[in-house]
Amino acid sequence: MSDIDIILSRRHSQGADYWITPDKRLMKGSPFSAFDCALMLLELGLAPTDPILVAVADLFFSGWRKDGRFKISPSGGILPCHTAYVVLLLCRLGYVEDERIQITLKHFLQTPYTDGGWRCNKFSYGRGPETEYSNPLPTLNVLDAFRHSAYLNKEPALDRAVEFLLAHWRIRTPIGPCQYGMGSRFMQLEYPAWGWYSLFSYVYVLSFYKKARRDERFKEAFHALQGKLLDGLLVMERNSPRLKDLSFCKKGQPSALATRHFHEIQNNIREDDSL
């Protein structure tokens, strides 16, 4: 059975079609949520115009609100991190020019925190000095969405968000209300890593931004990722045990698809010969 077939075989595993629950919780079930599965199918070569991915996009668009935010479950709040996940996915599916996505992007440009990133006013781990920062992962996901847009490398607000993430390379300790850090787990090579805070996704997304590529902190992160190569291929150091049946991202094995993205990073860097 191919990796695509394995992912598709789980599309009803949460009680409804397209990896969602009967009450329409769109992000439940990682790493086999609607969000994760759509991104994995894209990685494996399924076209964004495939009826399955179009149906998943429609499900996420059903949660769009006129102010640009997205609701991903029937109960609970509408949080910036949720909207960041959804806009990342929909931009990767090719909807960046959709009027609704354009409104969402403008919403993010109007709502950064004082340090340039984005955050939720939800303090699940209590309050402390570290929670006065933005949340690194939602900020990275927002930048992942914006790299598809005409705002890329033209909008000062995005440069400020890039600077916030580069600053975290020096801080390293957990910051933001959700306390994202850069410890041993962050540094382990994990793929697919989209929507997760890890070295691979950090370097990949930032490589699209000129401000990052010319910065010593990005160069250090890139060289840390480059050091993971074995015979020219990236070898997976960790992954969810639930993905063990998928061949494209097996722990301890080289991944041609992950390496393809490393080459994409290299091509981005060559644009201004910054390394």
Side-chain angles (χ1 to χ4, degrees), residues 219-253:
K219 295 176 185 180
E220 292 171 11
F222 169 75
H223 289 305
L225 179 62
Q226 188 178 42
K228 307 280 186 181
L229 290 171
L230 181 63
D231 296 327
L233 294 170
L234 289 176
V235 178
M236 298 304 98
E237 294 178 318
R238 71 180 310 274
N239 223 331
S240 168
R242 297 183 66 196
L243 297 177
K244 62 182 177 61
D245 294 329
L246 299 178
S247 62
F248 81 105
C249 57
K250 278 190 176 296
K251 181 180 177 181
Q253 298 295 319

mmCIF file of all heavy atoms in Angstrom, residues 219-253:
data_model
loop_
_atom_site.group_PDB
_atom_site.id
_atom_site.type_symbol
_atom_site.label_atom_id
_atom_site.label_comp_id
_atom_site.label_asym_id
_atom_site.label_seq_id
_atom_site.Cartn_x
_atom_site.Cartn_y
_atom_site.Cartn_z
ATOM 1 N N LYS A 219 22.201 32.075 9.480
ATOM 2 C CA LYS A 219 23.311 31.289 8.942
ATOM 3 C C LYS A 219 23.693 30.170 9.914
ATOM 4 O O LYS A 219 23.975 29.036 9.507
ATOM 5 C CB LYS A 219 24.505 32.184 8.657
ATOM 6 C CG LYS A 219 24.250 33.207 7.555
ATOM 7 C CD LYS A 219 25.441 34.139 7.385
ATOM 8 C CE LYS A 219 25.139 35.241 6.379
ATOM 9 N NZ LYS A 219 26.285 36.169 6.191
ATOM 10 N N GLU A 220 23.692 30.477 11.209
ATOM 11 C CA GLU A 220 24.000 29.452 12.207
ATOM 12 C C GLU A 220 22.955 28.335 12.183
ATOM 13 O O GLU A 220 23.297 27.147 12.259
ATOM 14 C CB GLU A 220 24.054 30.084 13.594
ATOM 15 C CG GLU A 220 25.229 31.027 13.803
ATOM 16 C CD GLU A 220 25.126 31.793 15.113
ATOM 17 O OE1 GLU A 220 24.262 31.440 15.941
ATOM 18 O OE2 GLU A 220 25.911 32.736 15.311
ATOM 19 N N ALA A 221 21.687 28.720 12.088
ATOM 20 C CA ALA A 221 20.614 27.720 12.049
ATOM 21 C C ALA A 221 20.712 26.869 10.777
ATOM 22 O O ALA A 221 20.543 25.640 10.820
ATOM 23 C CB ALA A 221 19.257 28.412 12.118
ATOM 24 N N PHE A 222 21.007 27.521 9.658
ATOM 25 C CA PHE A 222 21.157 26.782 8.402
ATOM 26 C C PHE A 222 22.294 25.775 8.503
ATOM 27 O O PHE A 222 22.160 24.612 8.091
ATOM 28 C CB PHE A 222 21.416 27.740 7.236
ATOM 29 C CG PHE A 222 21.835 27.033 5.976
ATOM 30 C CD1 PHE A 222 20.907 26.339 5.209
ATOM 31 C CD2 PHE A 222 23.164 27.031 5.569
ATOM 32 C CE1 PHE A 222 21.293 25.665 4.065
ATOM 33 C CE2 PHE A 222 23.562 26.364 4.425
ATOM 34 C CZ PHE A 222 22.620 25.678 3.663
ATOM 35 N N HIS A 223 23.426 26.189 9.044
ATOM 36 C CA HIS A 223 24.564 25.275 9.142
ATOM 37 C C HIS A 223 24.264 24.130 10.112
ATOM 38 O O HIS A 223 24.765 23.006 9.926
ATOM 39 C CB HIS A 223 25.822 26.030 9.553
ATOM 40 C CG HIS A 223 26.362 26.910 8.469
ATOM 41 N ND1 HIS A 223 26.663 26.443 7.208
ATOM 42 C CD2 HIS A 223 26.644 28.240 8.439
ATOM 43 C CE1 HIS A 223 27.111 27.434 6.451
ATOM 44 N NE2 HIS A 223 27.111 28.538 7.180
ATOM 45 N N ALA A 224 23.444 24.393 11.142
ATOM 46 C CA ALA A 224 23.036 23.307 12.037
ATOM 47 C C ALA A 224 22.197 22.283 11.277
ATOM 48 O O ALA A 224 22.358 21.066 11.459
ATOM 49 C CB ALA A 224 22.252 23.871 13.218
ATOM 50 N N LEU A 225 21.311 22.749 10.419
ATOM 51 C CA LEU A 225 20.508 21.838 9.603
ATOM 52 C C LEU A 225 21.384 21.129 8.575
ATOM 53 O O LEU A 225 21.253 19.919 8.367
ATOM 54 C CB LEU A 225 19.393 22.610 8.906
ATOM 55 C CG LEU A 225 18.484 21.796 7.984
ATOM 56 C CD1 LEU A 225 17.732 20.715 8.762
ATOM 57 C CD2 LEU A 225 17.488 22.709 7.260
ATOM 58 N N GLN A 226 22.277 21.866 7.953
ATOM 59 C CA GLN A 226 23.183 21.288 6.958
ATOM 60 C C GLN A 226 24.013 20.155 7.557
ATOM 61 O O GLN A 226 24.317 19.160 6.887
ATOM 62 C CB GLN A 226 24.102 22.378 6.408
ATOM 63 C CG GLN A 226 24.957 21.960 5.228
ATOM 64 C CD GLN A 226 25.795 23.123 4.724
ATOM 65 O OE1 GLN A 226 26.354 23.898 5.506
ATOM 66 N NE2 GLN A 226 25.877 23.284 3.408
ATOM 67 N N GLY A 227 24.341 20.286 8.838
ATOM 68 C CA GLY A 227 25.114 19.252 9.517
ATOM 69 C C GLY A 227 24.369 17.946 9.696
ATOM 70 O O GLY A 227 24.971 16.931 10.078
ATOM 71 N N LYS A 228 23.079 17.945 9.415
ATOM 72 C CA LYS A 228 22.275 16.727 9.521
ATOM 73 C C LYS A 228 22.393 15.855 8.273
ATOM 74 O O LYS A 228 21.902 14.722 8.262
ATOM 75 C CB LYS A 228 20.793 17.084 9.727
ATOM 76 C CG LYS A 228 20.518 18.026 10.886
ATOM 77 C CD LYS A 228 20.516 17.329 12.214
ATOM 78 C CE LYS A 228 20.094 18.268 13.347
ATOM 79 N NZ LYS A 228 20.104 17.587 14.654
ATOM 80 N N LEU A 229 22.989 16.368 7.205
ATOM 81 C CA LEU A 229 23.097 15.611 5.957
ATOM 82 C C LEU A 229 24.006 14.397 6.132
ATOM 83 O O LEU A 229 25.061 14.476 6.753
ATOM 84 C CB LEU A 229 23.641 16.494 4.845
ATOM 85 C CG LEU A 229 22.727 17.606 4.317
ATOM 86 C CD1 LEU A 229 23.505 18.513 3.377
ATOM 87 C CD2 LEU A 229 21.508 17.021 3.607
ATOM 88 N N LEU A 230 23.587 13.290 5.556
ATOM 89 C CA LEU A 230 24.394 12.083 5.517
ATOM 90 C C LEU A 230 24.409 11.597 4.075
ATOM 91 O O LEU A 230 23.363 11.228 3.525
ATOM 92 C CB LEU A 230 23.816 11.006 6.445
ATOM 93 C CG LEU A 230 24.591 9.694 6.524
ATOM 94 C CD1 LEU A 230 25.984 9.931 7.106
ATOM 95 C CD2 LEU A 230 23.835 8.665 7.358
ATOM 96 N N ASP A 231 25.568 11.647 3.461
ATOM 97 C CA ASP A 231 25.696 11.297 2.038
ATOM 98 C C ASP A 231 24.730 12.114 1.188
ATOM 99 O O ASP A 231 24.126 11.604 0.237
ATOM 100 C CB ASP A 231 25.448 9.799 1.818
ATOM 101 C CG ASP A 231 26.492 8.923 2.504
ATOM 102 O OD1 ASP A 231 27.666 9.361 2.591
ATOM 103 O OD2 ASP A 231 26.139 7.827 2.971
ATOM 104 N N GLY A 232 24.580 13.391 1.566
ATOM 105 C CA GLY A 232 23.753 14.293 0.780
ATOM 106 C C GLY A 232 22.271 14.211 1.031
ATOM 107 O O GLY A 232 21.489 14.907 0.368
ATOM 108 N N LEU A 233 21.843 13.405 1.990
ATOM 109 C CA LEU A 233 20.424 13.243 2.285
ATOM 110 C C LEU A 233 20.138 13.564 3.745
ATOM 111 O O LEU A 233 20.985 13.341 4.623
ATOM 112 C CB LEU A 233 19.973 11.801 1.999
ATOM 113 C CG LEU A 233 20.016 11.352 0.541
ATOM 114 C CD1 LEU A 233 19.771 9.847 0.450
ATOM 115 C CD2 LEU A 233 18.985 12.102 -0.298
ATOM 116 N N LEU A 234 18.951 14.082 4.012
ATOM 117 C CA LEU A 234 18.522 14.322 5.389
ATOM 118 C C LEU A 234 17.926 13.037 5.958
ATOM 119 O O LEU A 234 17.061 12.410 5.338
ATOM 120 C CB LEU A 234 17.475 15.436 5.432
ATOM 121 C CG LEU A 234 17.983 16.852 5.157
ATOM 122 C CD1 LEU A 234 16.819 17.835 5.145
ATOM 123 C CD2 LEU A 234 19.017 17.289 6.192
ATOM 124 N N VAL A 235 18.415 12.654 7.134
ATOM 125 C CA VAL A 235 17.956 11.432 7.795
ATOM 126 C C VAL A 235 17.084 11.818 8.981
ATOM 127 O O VAL A 235 17.475 12.636 9.821
ATOM 128 C CB VAL A 235 19.148 10.578 8.262
ATOM 129 C CG1 VAL A 235 18.665 9.320 8.991
ATOM 130 C CG2 VAL A 235 20.017 10.195 7.073
ATOM 131 N N MET A 236 15.892 11.215 9.058
ATOM 132 C CA MET A 236 14.947 11.568 10.103
ATOM 133 C C MET A 236 15.443 11.127 11.480
ATOM 134 O O MET A 236 15.812 9.960 11.681
ATOM 135 C CB MET A 236 13.592 10.898 9.848
ATOM 136 C CG MET A 236 12.918 11.327 8.550
ATOM 137 S SD MET A 236 12.692 13.106 8.444
ATOM 138 C CE MET A 236 14.107 13.586 7.451
ATOM 139 N N GLU A 237 15.438 12.066 12.425
ATOM 140 C CA GLU A 237 15.878 11.769 13.790
ATOM 141 C C GLU A 237 14.716 11.511 14.740
ATOM 142 O O GLU A 237 14.881 10.870 15.771
ATOM 143 C CB GLU A 237 16.725 12.931 14.319
ATOM 144 C CG GLU A 237 18.027 13.098 13.562
ATOM 145 C CD GLU A 237 18.837 14.279 14.041
ATOM 146 O OE1 GLU A 237 18.243 15.358 14.297
ATOM 147 O OE2 GLU A 237 20.072 14.139 14.167
ATOM 148 N N ARG A 238 13.551 12.038 14.418
ATOM 149 C CA ARG A 238 12.383 11.769 15.247
ATOM 150 C C ARG A 238 11.135 11.933 14.404
ATOM 151 O O ARG A 238 11.142 12.614 13.381
ATOM 152 C CB ARG A 238 12.329 12.685 16.474
ATOM 153 C CG ARG A 238 12.011 14.133 16.175
ATOM 154 C CD ARG A 238 11.984 14.954 17.456
ATOM 155 N NE ARG A 238 11.174 14.372 18.493
ATOM 156 C CZ ARG A 238 9.858 14.563 18.618
ATOM 157 N NH1 ARG A 238 9.234 15.324 17.742
ATOM 158 N NH2 ARG A 238 9.186 14.020 19.585
ATOM 159 N N ASN A 239 10.076 11.294 14.835
ATOM 160 C CA ASN A 239 8.781 11.453 14.200
ATOM 161 C C ASN A 239 7.735 10.806 15.086
ATOM 162 O O ASN A 239 8.055 10.000 15.965
ATOM 163 C CB ASN A 239 8.739 10.839 12.793
ATOM 164 C CG ASN A 239 8.036 11.749 11.799
ATOM 165 O OD1 ASN A 239 7.168 12.515 12.182
ATOM 166 N ND2 ASN A 239 8.424 11.667 10.534
ATOM 167 N N SER A 240 6.480 11.111 14.828
ATOM 168 C CA SER A 240 5.412 10.503 15.601
ATOM 169 C C SER A 240 5.379 8.997 15.346
ATOM 170 O O SER A 240 5.426 8.560 14.185
ATOM 171 C CB SER A 240 4.063 11.116 15.209
ATOM 172 O OG SER A 240 2.995 10.350 15.742
ATOM 173 N N PRO A 241 5.289 8.181 16.402
ATOM 174 C CA PRO A 241 5.174 6.731 16.195
ATOM 175 C C PRO A 241 3.973 6.360 15.327
ATOM 176 O O PRO A 241 3.982 5.312 14.667
ATOM 177 C CB PRO A 241 5.017 6.189 17.623
ATOM 178 C CG PRO A 241 5.639 7.224 18.495
ATOM 179 C CD PRO A 241 5.342 8.533 17.830
ATOM 180 N N ARG A 242 2.977 7.224 15.282
ATOM 181 C CA ARG A 242 1.777 6.933 14.482
ATOM 182 C C ARG A 242 2.054 7.032 12.986
ATOM 183 O O ARG A 242 1.230 6.598 12.177
ATOM 184 C CB ARG A 242 0.643 7.874 14.883
ATOM 185 C CG ARG A 242 0.176 7.712 16.330
ATOM 186 C CD ARG A 242 -0.984 8.629 16.635
ATOM 187 N NE ARG A 242 -2.157 8.256 15.870
ATOM 188 C CZ ARG A 242 -3.217 9.050 15.692
ATOM 189 N NH1 ARG A 242 -3.209 10.276 16.215
ATOM 190 N NH2 ARG A 242 -4.248 8.643 14.995
ATOM 191 N N LEU A 243 3.193 7.593 12.609
ATOM 192 C CA LEU A 243 3.547 7.689 11.192
ATOM 193 C C LEU A 243 4.488 6.567 10.747
ATOM 194 O O LEU A 243 5.013 6.601 9.635
ATOM 195 C CB LEU A 243 4.215 9.044 10.915
ATOM 196 C CG LEU A 243 3.363 10.291 11.156
ATOM 197 C CD1 LEU A 243 4.182 11.553 10.916
ATOM 198 C CD2 LEU A 243 2.123 10.294 10.275
ATOM 199 N N LYS A 244 4.671 5.552 11.587
ATOM 200 C CA LYS A 244 5.691 4.530 11.329
ATOM 201 C C LYS A 244 5.437 3.747 10.047
ATOM 202 O O LYS A 244 6.376 3.178 9.467
ATOM 203 C CB LYS A 244 5.783 3.566 12.518
ATOM 204 C CG LYS A 244 4.530 2.787 12.814
ATOM 205 C CD LYS A 244 4.700 1.894 14.031
ATOM 206 C CE LYS A 244 3.419 1.159 14.395
ATOM 207 N NZ LYS A 244 2.947 0.269 13.308
ATOM 208 N N ASP A 245 4.204 3.673 9.580
ATOM 209 C CA ASP A 245 3.906 2.907 8.369
ATOM 210 C C ASP A 245 4.149 3.691 7.086
ATOM 211 O O ASP A 245 4.058 3.127 5.987
ATOM 212 C CB ASP A 245 2.447 2.422 8.393
ATOM 213 C CG ASP A 245 2.192 1.415 9.504
ATOM 214 O OD1 ASP A 245 3.121 0.670 9.856
ATOM 215 O OD2 ASP A 245 1.059 1.380 10.024
ATOM 216 N N LEU A 246 4.440 4.984 7.209
ATOM 217 C CA LEU A 246 4.676 5.813 6.038
ATOM 218 C C LEU A 246 6.155 5.777 5.665
ATOM 219 O O LEU A 246 7.021 6.039 6.496
ATOM 220 C CB LEU A 246 4.230 7.252 6.306
ATOM 221 C CG LEU A 246 2.740 7.440 6.622
ATOM 222 C CD1 LEU A 246 2.442 8.907 6.919
ATOM 223 C CD2 LEU A 246 1.864 6.955 5.471
ATOM 224 N N SER A 247 6.447 5.486 4.419
ATOM 225 C CA SER A 247 7.838 5.291 4.008
ATOM 226 C C SER A 247 8.584 6.599 3.772
ATOM 227 O O SER A 247 9.816 6.628 3.870
ATOM 228 C CB SER A 247 7.894 4.450 2.738
ATOM 229 O OG SER A 247 7.228 5.105 1.655
ATOM 230 N N PHE A 248 7.865 7.693 3.495
ATOM 231 C CA PHE A 248 8.552 8.926 3.101
ATOM 232 C C PHE A 248 9.155 9.683 4.280
ATOM 233 O O PHE A 248 9.897 10.635 4.078
ATOM 234 C CB PHE A 248 7.616 9.837 2.305
ATOM 235 C CG PHE A 248 6.672 10.673 3.120
ATOM 236 C CD1 PHE A 248 6.894 12.041 3.295
ATOM 237 C CD2 PHE A 248 5.539 10.120 3.705
ATOM 238 C CE1 PHE A 248 6.022 12.823 4.030
ATOM 239 C CE2 PHE A 248 4.658 10.891 4.429
ATOM 240 C CZ PHE A 248 4.894 12.255 4.605
ATOM 241 N N CYS A 249 8.859 9.252 5.505
ATOM 242 C CA CYS A 249 9.347 10.001 6.669
ATOM 243 C C CYS A 249 9.726 9.078 7.822
ATOM 244 O O CYS A 249 9.529 9.411 8.981
ATOM 245 C CB CYS A 249 8.281 10.999 7.126
ATOM 246 S SG CYS A 249 6.677 10.253 7.544
ATOM 247 N N LYS A 250 10.282 7.914 7.520
ATOM 248 C CA LYS A 250 10.610 6.948 8.568
ATOM 249 C C LYS A 250 11.782 7.413 9.428
ATOM 250 O O LYS A 250 12.801 7.871 8.915
ATOM 251 C CB LYS A 250 10.959 5.592 7.950
ATOM 252 C CG LYS A 250 9.748 4.750 7.603
ATOM 253 C CD LYS A 250 10.169 3.341 7.231
ATOM 254 C CE LYS A 250 8.952 2.469 6.974
ATOM 255 N NZ LYS A 250 8.131 2.282 8.176
ATOM 256 N N LYS A 251 11.630 7.270 10.733
ATOM 257 C CA LYS A 251 12.705 7.601 11.659
ATOM 258 C C LYS A 251 13.927 6.737 11.363
ATOM 259 O O LYS A 251 13.828 5.525 11.159
ATOM 260 C CB LYS A 251 12.241 7.383 13.101
ATOM 261 C CG LYS A 251 13.294 7.726 14.147
ATOM 262 C CD LYS A 251 12.759 7.493 15.560
ATOM 263 C CE LYS A 251 13.829 7.776 16.599
ATOM 264 N NZ LYS A 251 13.330 7.533 17.981
ATOM 265 N N GLY A 252 15.090 7.394 11.323
ATOM 266 C CA GLY A 252 16.326 6.680 11.083
ATOM 267 C C GLY A 252 16.639 6.413 9.630
ATOM 268 O O GLY A 252 17.686 5.847 9.310
ATOM 269 N N GLN A 253 15.743 6.844 8.734
ATOM 270 C CA GLN A 253 15.932 6.608 7.308
ATOM 271 C C GLN A 253 16.079 7.940 6.565
ATOM 272 O O GLN A 253 15.502 8.954 6.976
ATOM 273 C CB GLN A 253 14.738 5.842 6.738
ATOM 274 C CG GLN A 253 14.539 4.470 7.336
ATOM 275 C CD GLN A 253 15.688 3.534 7.001
ATOM 276 O OE1 GLN A 253 16.199 3.518 5.884
ATOM 277 N NE2 GLN A 253 16.104 2.748 7.987
#
